[in-house]
Amino acid sequence: LALNKTSFTENGKVQKATVVAKDSANKTIAASNYTVSYSNSNSKKPGTYTATVKFNGKNYTGTKKLTYKINAKAPAKTTVKLSKAKKTSLKASWSKVANATSYEVQYGTSKSFKGAKTVKVSSKSSSKVLTKLKKNKKYYVRVRGFFMNGKTKVYGPYSAKKVVKIK
């Protein structure tokens, strides 16, 4: 016994794994020999779900539980705007995106963001003032949303990078 798929990505629709039943000779077992029940018939949200296969006793007997997972959808791409705040600082603001519980603002003087600094910002805020910047330098800034799925961070894509010169 197996499931056709053990991992899905959240899409707002009910998603269920299909049972693939084969005997010891690797021949497909007809669906009339078993019933399948799901732990949650409305499996739209991220989480782990169980499909219970119960054989009806004609040709096969027993019960087996199989699990599948629906993974949370990563946050969408955000857009960022920059404005000069003071002499050695700038304000980065961005559009909020669904599913993001926090944002990462990355900034530095390299186009490739090598050696760039990263600042974590709560989803309650949609802007951050970046301070202690050097005069006469170009700064590149980008932002991405993320959320925690257990102990794992699920990141959305970075926004397009923006550049500003500190005068």
Side-chain angles (χ1 to χ4, degrees), residues 35-39 50-54:
T35 58
V36 180
S37 59
Y38 293 90
S39 61
T50 305
T52 304
V53 181
K54 187 174 184 179

Side-chain angles (χ1 to χ4, degrees), residues 2 31 34 38 40 44 54 63 66 72 74 83 86 98-100 102 106 111 117 121 129 140 157 161 165:
Y34 60 88
Y38 293 90
N40 185 342
K44 291 181 184 178
K54 187 174 184 179
T63 302
L66 303 165
S83 59
K86 291 186 181 171
N99 289 358
S102 297
Q106 192 173 48
K111 278 185 187 179
K117 292 182 181 180
V121 182
V129 176
Y140 298 89
K161 64 183 168 193
K165 186 169 184 173

Side-chain angles (χ1 to χ4, degrees), residues 60-139:
Y60 304 94
T61 59
T63 302
K64 185 164 183 183
K65 291 184 178 195
L66 303 165
T67 60
Y68 63 99
K69 197 173 190 177
I70 297 178
N71 298 311
K73 185 178 177 182
K77 190 174 187 176
T78 185
T79 56
V80 66
K81 293 179 186 172
L82 302 179
S83 59
K84 197 156 188 238
K86 291 186 181 171
K87 290 181 181 178
T88 58
S89 66
L90 68 90
K91 183 179 181 181
S93 29
W94 55 89
S95 56
K96 290 187 174 189
V97 292
N99 289 358
T101 57
S102 297
Y103 294 92
E104 270 191 358
V105 180
Q106 192 173 48
Y107 65 100
T109 55
S110 168
K111 278 185 187 179
S112 63
F113 290 91
K114 197 171 188 168
K117 292 182 181 180
T118 304
V119 181
K120 182 181 164 190
V121 182
S122 161
S123 66
K124 292 175 185 169
S125 178
S126 62
S127 66
K128 175 72 177 166
V129 176
L130 307 173
T131 58
K132 298 182 182 174
L133 306 177
K134 294 182 178 143
K135 286 186 175 190
N136 298 318
K137 289 273 187 183
K138 274 187 183 177
Y139 279 88

